Amino acid sequence: MAFAITQTCCADATCVSVCPVNCIHPTPDEPDFGRTEMLYIDPATCIDCGACADACPVDAIFPAGDLTGPLRVYEELNAEYYAGRDVLAEVSAAPNFHRWAPPSFERVLPSDFAPLDVAVVGTGPAGMYAAEDLLLHTNARVTLVDRLPVAGGLIRYGVAPDHPSTKKIGETFARFHDHPRLRLRLGVPAGAELAEKHDAVIFAVGATGARRLGVPGEDLPGSLPAATVVGWYNGHPAIEPDAVDLSAERVVVVGTGNVALDIARILTADPEELARTSIAPEALARLRSAKVREVVLLARRGPETAAYTRSELLALAARGTLVVDTHDPRTASAIDEGAGNAGWLQGVPRERVDWAEPPPDGRRIVLRFHSAPAEFRGDTEIRAVLASDAAGEVEIPAGRVVRAAGFRGTPVPGLPFDEETGTVPNTAGRVPGHPGVYVAGWIKRGPSGGIGANKACARETVGALLEDAVAGRLPLRRRGMAARLRGRA
Ligand SMILES: Cc1cc2nc3c(=O)[nH]c(=O)nc-3n(C[C@H](O)[C@H](O)[C@H](O)COP(=O)(O)OP(=O)(O)OC[C@H]3O[C@@H](n4cnc5c(N)ncnc54)[C@H](O)[C@@H]3O)c2cc1C
Ligand code: SF4
Ligand code: SF4
């Protein structure tokens, strides 16, 4: 019986390097890497050694035979990745695949190289992967800075509290906080001025601003950005415990990404189940007395292009509280035909929802595709969402709206900023015109990709930094060398 990778995989590829028979794919050397939502174990080659399960930072790997309930489907999903394909032949044909190469130590600086002083701003995954790379592969001294009093970035204040395995990766990162060459400074907002005291600065400050919808009524009281809701249930220090009012029976969430799914799941969950998680106590108290019975996820396009990942959707569907609104016949056809991501909804109950009726008893989540918000209506606060469909417009009564249509980076004082992408312009992490300044993570490449995607991203940035260090392109170090030479003269 082989092992199988399950829902919480964040594709950081830690397991790949420990597998003795190379049966976990795609590996970081393969073209598919970064394009699949998770990695998969080939059941035909796995020798059941369990090394990958021990190495996985988020407890995503189990013997396939031990999988129960909604996790059982992952045995099939792992096998499905290999069905009808010869992975080894494929990767051999890929241009940059090296089946075997001599060990490469390109991150180790020359042995006589004086330690670099590097500031890393941000303790989320990108900052931590960058710090880890520097500490493990160079003799650099790292100053790790975060404006929040608690480290972890979105692992701490974004990942949903009912995903404890995913949050566990925070413990792996926290082990580096005590490294003898790391100085941790929390509760300190930082900008480009750090460059004056360090050989290099890596900004890994994330992207937690909200993308605007451009819909009338967007700023009415009761219309909340997703960051407020996820920060609220995670106890973010900058978000008031009463920031989310749950006295309405229906909440509309605009968006179908994993964050929209997280919010819908938490708002409709059994509070007793949530009580066993790391949810903020104030949020739990509010959820216990919440009137919310229905969360409607509004998607402009059809289910074939829904932004959630298959694993998150399957986990939600397994709870039995999901319903697809069939107001547009294209939705059912796409599901039946299995077009794109629509096939994942096969087996989920369907219903033509009558918005004139109050939500039924119990709690449920309604997926409504081909329906875009045209206006948020209300006098002093939200009372309804006007949704525009192929057949016209429909008013969906709702007391709260959550805007989960994507995150956006915000400018870093002193650095250039691309307003369109919400990122700091960069080449492989280098910020042009700012020698010694680098970016990693969501502020570098935009707000997409799970935790693991930041590993390769941070690695690229650290690689650029070390290249510049060896080539003498770090300005403070140049000035330092000049001063030392003057001192010797
Ligand atoms: C709600 C939500 C849930 C998610 N759930 C999952 C999941 O379950 N699984 C998964 O794989 N991925 C998940 N992701 C994606 C994952 O969290 C991101 O890929 C990752 O956090 C991005 O890392 P980052 O380091 O770029 O940014 P962040 O994690 O946002 O870290 C940025 C850090 O920089 C700090 N900072 C910002 N500005 C400054 C400043 N000026 N000075 C000092 N410090 C500063 C912030 O306080 C923060 O700690 C989720 C994302 C969101 C938004
Ligand atoms: S989280 Fe990392 S180690 Fe765990 S299964 Fe996914 S890729 Fe492998
Ligand atoms: S159990 Fe062993 S052989 Fe199987 S995938 Fe994990 S590391 Fe590889």
Side-chain angles (χ1 to χ4, degrees):
M1 178 62 69
F3 276 60
I5 298 180
T6 64
Q7 185 196 347
T8 49
C9 174
C10 67
D12 74 343
T14 300
C15 51
V16 169
S17 54
V18 299
C19 178
V21 292
N22 189 25
C23 70
I24 308 176
H25 297 271
T27 71
D29 294 325
E30 296 168 8
D32 258 5
F33 188 75
R35 299 200 190 123
T36 59
E37 67 183 66
M38 53 183 272
L39 269 58
Y40 305 92
I41 291 175
D42 182 357
T45 8
C46 173
I47 56 164
D48 293 342
C49 71
C52 53
D54 291 340
C56 177
V58 296
D59 290 346
I61 311 181
F62 301 95
D66 289 359
L67 297 175
T68 53
L71 291 185
R72 281 179 62 183
V73 70
Y74 285 92
E75 181 178 4
E76 199 184 312
L77 290 184
N78 278 252
E80 207 176 75
Y81 181 75
Y82 296 91
R85 63 196 294 189
D86 179 349
V87 172
L88 278 184
E90 273 177 39
V91 296
S92 308
N96 57 2
F97 176 71
H98 305 293
R99 213 175 252 259
W100 170 249
S104 144
F105 300 103
E106 80 277 16
R107 296 188 122 55
V108 180
L109 291 166
S111 56
D112 57 347
F113 207 84
L116 291 168
D117 279 308
V118 182
V120 175
V121 184
T123 59
M128 289 315 302
Y129 281 129
E132 180 185 317
D133 197 356
L134 285 163
L135 292 169
L136 294 184
H137 301 118
T138 78
N139 58 354
R141 293 183 288 247
V142 176
T143 306
L144 183 61
V145 186
D146 204 295
R147 66 178 170 196
L148 293 178
V150 177
L154 285 169
I155 305 285
R156 172 65 188 80
Y157 294 117
V159 171
D162 60 346
H163 282 1
S165 303
T166 307
K167 281 193 177 286
K168 246 186 88 179
I169 199 168
E171 294 168 22
T172 310
F173 291 143
R175 285 210 288 268
F176 286 94
H177 295 172
D178 297 325
H179 192 285
R181 280 186 281 116
L182 185 131
R183 199 161 55 111
L184 182 62
R185 296 178 63 207
L186 296 175
V188 181
E193 75 288 345
L194 273 177
E196 286 162 23
K197 293 190 187 140
H198 296 84
D199 292 311
V201 186
I202 300 175
F203 286 95
V205 292
T208 42
R211 188 174 289 161
R212 304 274 307 165
L213 295 173
V215 170
E218 187 166 356
D219 296 318
L220 270 174
S223 158
L224 302 168
T228 299
V229 183
V230 303
W232 167 77
Y233 58 59
N234 277 308
H236 192 294
I239 295 171
E240 295 297 326
D242 61 357
V244 181
D245 180 320
L246 298 173
S247 55
E249 291 185 339
R250 181 180 289 127
V251 174
V252 168
V253 177
V254 179
T256 54
N258 281 350
V259 174
L261 254 48
D262 280 352
I263 291 172
R265 198 179 63 248
I266 296 287
L267 295 188
T268 53
D270 176 354
E272 295 320 311
E273 274 178 30
L274 291 177
R276 293 192 284 273
T277 73
S278 63
I279 191 165
E282 297 82 1
L284 180 63
R286 291 206 147 225
L287 283 162
R288 282 190 200 279
S289 59
K291 297 225 168 56
V292 179
R293 297 211 305 277
E294 186 173 85
V295 177
V296 183
L297 299 190
L298 220 52
R300 187 180 297 271
R301 291 181 291 169
E304 53 279 19
T305 56
Y308 43 64
T309 55
R310 186 180 190 171
S311 48
E312 289 297 323
L313 194 266
L314 290 177
L316 191 62
R319 299 163 73 104
T321 54
L322 197 58
V323 174
V324 176
D325 183 3
T326 53
H327 72 103
D328 188 313
R330 288 174 293 174
T331 298
S333 318
I335 296 173
D336 292 340
E337 287 160 16
N341 303 347
W344 304 343
L345 289 165
Q346 284 168 1
V348 172
R350 303 175 196 177
E351 180 183 320
R352 176 74 200 252
V353 180
D354 180 356
W355 300 107
E357 294 293 321
D361 288 342
R363 290 180 178 165
R364 68 175 192 171
I365 298 167
V366 179
L367 284 170
R368 183 177 165 91
F369 296 98
H370 297 294
S371 189
E375 185 184 342
F376 298 151
R377 292 185 162 165
D379 303 322
T380 51
E381 61 174 2
I382 297 272
R383 118 186 117 65
V385 171
L386 187 68
S388 113
D389 306 335
E393 286 181 332
V394 61
E395 192 175 87
I396 301 176
R400 286 289 171 269
V401 169
V402 182
R403 305 185 312 268
F407 289 81
R408 197 172 187 285
T410 46
V412 178
L415 295 190
F417 189 68
D418 182 332
E419 286 294 342
E420 200 160 313
T421 58
T423 56
V424 171
N426 69 90
T427 312
R430 294 181 180 94
V431 180
H434 292 258
V437 177
Y438 303 83
V439 282
W442 275 15
I443 194 64
K444 169 183 169 187
R445 49 176 226 282
S448 72
I451 296 161
N454 300 292
K455 190 172 183 178
C457 177
R459 197 178 153 78
E460 180 189 57
T461 297
V462 171
L465 187 161
L466 297 182
E467 234 176 76
D468 291 348
V470 173
R473 290 193 289 260
L474 298 183
L476 189 62
R477 177 154 288 247
R478 268 210 308 263
R479 285 203 299 276
M481 288 300 288
R484 254 176 272 162
L485 287 174
R486 272 200 307 276
R488 254 187 241 159

